Amino acid sequence: MLLLALLLVLAALGLLVAALATSAMFWAWFSVVASVAATAMLIADWWRRRHAARHPSAEPAASPAPPVSVDAADQGEADERDPEAELDPEIEPAEEDTDAADVLIVTDLAVEVRVLDERPRYHLAGCRWVGDRTTLGLPVGEARQLGFNPCAICTPDAILAAQHRG
């Protein structure tokens, strides 16, 4: 869809040049129509991607796993949970419950996090849930802007914000 929108923009540019060269208004109107069609396609593609990221239909419904805390006091509680259920590759990990102050810090960072294609979470490089799957590196601020959410297993927002403060 993006390629078609690019072709429409190029066609609109060509039609605009033709309108200026021949002083014919109908070429200018065709240019406007092509530009509006390209804009509509880009908006539709953005909406489709946004909707797909928020509502993954191909994945089974799962109860979210409780977030893993960074504090050493909570390590005993984390060890009591079934690690195999938490690391199931078919079940998306829960979203990290991020403090608002951490969100403000993390959004401005350029630290690289890892994302998986077609998955809504971003992870730290050593996340147990990611394992040896193929990932893409993105700056954490860009990952947030693209609609990715932090993983509750590796808690990237809490760890990155703590590292930034320290």
Side-chain angles (χ1 to χ4, degrees):
M1 186 178 286
L2 294 176
L3 182 61
L4 190 56
L6 176 64
L7 291 175
L8 280 172
V9 168
L10 291 175
L13 180 63
L15 290 169
L16 184 61
V17 169
L20 292 173
T22 63
S23 298
M25 287 298 292
F26 64 89
W27 292 120
W29 282 110
F30 285 142
S31 174
V32 169
V33 168
S35 297
V36 168
T39 303
M41 290 181 71
L42 289 173
I43 291 172
D45 186 61
W46 170 79
W47 184 261
R48 182 183 56 84
R49 288 175 187 253
R50 182 176 177 212
H51 181 71
R54 287 190 178 177
H55 305 288
S57 60
E59 297 183 28
S63 60
V68 176
S69 176
V70 179
D71 297 336
D74 293 337
Q75 287 296 57
E77 180 183 318
D79 293 338
E80 293 173 10
R81 280 187 248 120
D82 181 17
E84 293 303 317
E86 192 174 72
L87 300 178
D88 186 357
E90 298 301 318
I91 299 174
E92 191 67 38
E95 180 180 346
E96 176 185 3
D97 187 23
T98 307
D99 183 61
D102 289 350
V103 171
L104 291 174
I105 292 171
V106 169
T107 303
D108 294 333
L109 293 178
V111 176
E112 186 176 87
V113 291
R114 309 305 296 175
V115 297
L116 279 78
D117 195 24
E118 306 283 328
R119 297 290 189 150
R121 305 276 181 262
Y122 61 87
H123 310 268
L124 293 174
C127 182
R128 297 175 306 159
W129 186 83
V130 172
D132 60 352
R133 295 185 206 138
T134 304
T135 60
L136 302 168
L138 286 176
V140 66
E142 185 179 339
R144 277 198 159 274
Q145 287 175 348
L146 291 173
F148 290 97
N149 301 309
C151 167
I153 295 173
C154 62
T155 61
D157 284 358
I159 291 173
L160 294 174
Q163 286 176 349
H164 181 73
R165 286 185 186 113

